[in-house]
Amino acid sequence: MPIAAHHSEHHHGSHRGLLHTALKTSPEAHVDAIIVPTIRPPRAMKHAISLAASLNCVLVALCSKKFTSAAAVATRASAANVEVLAIDVDALPPAALPHFRTCAQLENTRFERRNDISRKRNLGLLVARVAGWDRIVFLDDDIEIPDPGDLRRAAALTDRYAGAGLNIHGHPDNSVVCHAYREAGGAQDQFIGGGALAVHTRETSSFFPNIYNEDWFFLLNGEKLRPTAVTGVAVQKPYDPFADDERARMEELGDVLAEGLYWLLDEDRPLGDANAGFWSRYLSMRQDFIRETVDMVRQTERNSERRARKVSSLTAALGRSRYIRPEWCEAYVQAWRADRKTWQDHVAHLQPGRRHSYGKDELGKVIAHLGWTFQSTYLPSRPAA
């Protein structure tokens, strides 16, 4: 008989009850664009390019110049007859996005997040809004979609839902702590995420804060989870979550904040209950949960080298968690609410009434309208002879 999974009193292993699960036979809608924040070499875009060709949609590649070339990505896409807008985001002016209080709160602290995926996703929202697209899909460059029809079904759901994510198969999509808990026999599910997420451009009232689990924050409206659905299948390529302790450290604050807020939602409580008193109790539970997971790993992991790396990562997460103060968590949530208003004001300046003036073959005008004075790479699907 299969062994029952372990359920911890200190952790909610699933938030799936908050989602609407759509049937495989649900209606389909056209995907206007696939938006990929990428840091890998151009060849990593092969699947996204194939999807864009299959769905007859625009591909937006948001590239980090240090790792990949927008020009190289654009050339690959155009060779596949895919209309592409590839942008080296490192060259963007600082004013491309508003200054967020949440960023200022963490700047120059041990909690500052030093990657650009949130920035890229926010830039993608702006491009989509100005281009006049209705339904877009965010796709990470290490995720594959076996059935392109799943993206069309997810796109159709955005007429009723703030977001429609795909079920993640392949390598589980969890934080380092939750990976260790699941592998040790814990009851750990997966939520939806920005790696395979369809949204409607009317949902640009929300943004991705620069913190781990930024996609969970995007799906909230300040007080509760916006209506959100799940459908279809996305396959995450494998990686080793325990290869570097720093991964666990950098995830910890975002994992605490997101898991804590969704704990409240699971219990049908408003996010307004996330005051310093709540965070004091939740941080205590979180640390108990990590210690519990360490004990489980020591009892279940037979590979001594992997056991040592798991315990080391969990110890790193616990050490970082001890630096977190309840009042900081309360302040972050307040700053995030203020940032939502800042973002909405920024989006309002884009004159959404004009956004349908851009045709599919005029993406270069989108950049001009946004005021991004830098060299982007745009290639239409049918280059002039």
Side-chain angles (χ1 to χ4, degrees):
M1 293 180 61
I3 300 174
H6 173 81
H7 291 266
S8 171
E9 64 178 316
H10 308 300
H11 174 67
H12 287 179
S14 178
H15 307 293
R16 300 276 292 198
L18 300 171
L19 301 174
H20 167 79
T21 301
L23 300 175
K24 182 78 172 179
T25 55
S26 60
E28 298 183 3
H30 178 65
V31 175
D32 292 308
I34 296 174
I35 299 176
V36 183
T38 180
I39 62 170
R40 292 176 174 82
R43 63 179 177 276
M45 292 292 293
K46 179 180 178 180
H47 179 69
I49 292 169
S50 175
L51 276 177
S54 176
L55 297 173
N56 190 29
C57 70
V58 178
L59 176 66
V60 178
L62 299 167
C63 308
S64 297
K65 197 170 184 179
K66 177 180 178 182
F67 300 101
T68 189
S69 162
V73 172
T75 299
R76 281 175 172 261
S78 186
N81 202 34
V82 169
E83 188 167 23
V84 58
L85 176 63
I87 300 172
D88 286 319
V89 300
D90 299 332
L92 284 171
L97 290 173
H99 183 66
F100 292 124
R101 284 177 52 184
T102 45
C103 291
Q105 184 174 330
L106 304 183
E107 192 174 3
N108 297 322
T109 74
R110 70 186 72 228
F111 300 107
E112 183 177 7
R113 191 188 194 196
R114 295 178 176 87
N115 73 33
D116 60 4
I117 192 167
S118 295
R119 183 169 185 252
K120 288 174 177 175
R121 287 175 176 159
N122 289 329
L123 292 169
L125 289 173
L126 298 183
V127 169
R129 181 176 175 86
V130 173
W133 299 325
D134 290 324
R135 304 175 187 89
I136 60 174
V137 170
F138 286 103
L139 184 71
D140 282 356
D141 60 8
D142 61 348
I143 285 182
E144 295 189 355
I145 312 297
D147 179 6
D150 281 343
L151 293 185
R152 289 190 288 264
R153 283 180 279 275
L157 287 167
T158 65
D159 289 340
R160 292 179 291 143
Y161 295 93
L166 273 63
N167 293 287
I168 304 298
H169 289 199
H171 194 74
D173 183 25
N174 295 129
S175 67
V176 172
V177 171
C178 291
H179 268 294
Y181 178 64
R182 177 184 49 79
E183 290 189 17
Q188 181 62 56
D189 208 340
Q190 300 175 74
F191 202 59
I192 64 171
L197 180 69
V199 302
H200 199 285
T201 51
R202 67 170 179 270
E203 297 302 334
T204 49
S205 62
S206 195
F207 78 108
F208 296 90
N210 189 27
I211 195 167
Y212 178 70
N213 280 328
E214 75 287 343
D215 38 12
W216 290 24
F217 278 90
F218 173 78
L219 294 169
L220 300 173
N221 67 6
E223 296 303 327
K224 61 182 180 180
L225 180 70
R226 297 180 292 164
T228 306
V230 59
T231 188
V233 172
V235 180
Q236 167 74 60
K237 294 181 181 178
Y239 65 91
D240 183 0
F242 313 110
D244 184 355
D245 293 351
E246 189 60 22
R247 186 185 189 108
R249 291 189 187 93
M250 293 307 297
E251 289 179 353
E252 185 60 17
L253 178 61
D255 219 22
V256 164
L257 289 166
E259 291 282 3
L261 293 176
Y262 277 69
W263 177 290
L264 289 174
L265 297 177
D266 290 335
E267 297 188 341
D268 200 25
R269 294 169 60 187
L271 299 186
D273 285 357
N275 54 27
F278 166 78
W279 289 116
S280 178
R281 295 186 295 274
Y282 186 79
L283 282 165
S284 178
M285 285 195 299
R286 172 71 177 188
Q287 291 160 22
D288 285 343
F289 169 60
I290 296 175
R291 284 188 284 264
E292 177 183 7
T293 303
V294 169
D295 290 341
M296 292 171 63
V297 167
R298 285 174 171 156
Q299 294 169 16
T300 60
E301 180 55 70
R302 302 306 177 203
N303 183 304
S304 59
E305 190 272 336
R306 186 167 175 81
R307 179 172 62 246
R309 287 193 289 113
K310 286 182 179 180
V311 170
S312 181
S313 289
L314 289 166
T315 302
L318 183 60
R320 183 55 52 89
S321 184
R322 287 172 176 154
Y323 278 102
I324 303 173
R325 298 291 177 264
E327 59 272 20
W328 296 351
C329 296
E330 182 179 18
Y332 187 92
V333 174
Q334 291 173 348
W336 164 67
R337 287 197 176 98
D339 284 346
R340 282 177 52 82
K341 179 63 167 59
T342 299
W343 171 257
Q344 290 161 12
D345 290 344
H346 183 79
V347 169
H349 292 156
L350 296 179
Q351 300 177 346
R354 297 178 55 193
R355 63 197 186 117
H356 292 290
S357 65
Y358 298 102
K360 185 177 178 183
D361 294 323
E362 297 177 298
L363 290 180
K365 294 181 181 179
V366 172
I367 297 302
H369 182 68
L370 286 167
W372 295 351
T373 54
F374 70 103
Q375 184 63 43
S376 62
T377 302
Y378 158 62
L379 291 174
S381 56
R382 295 173 181 82

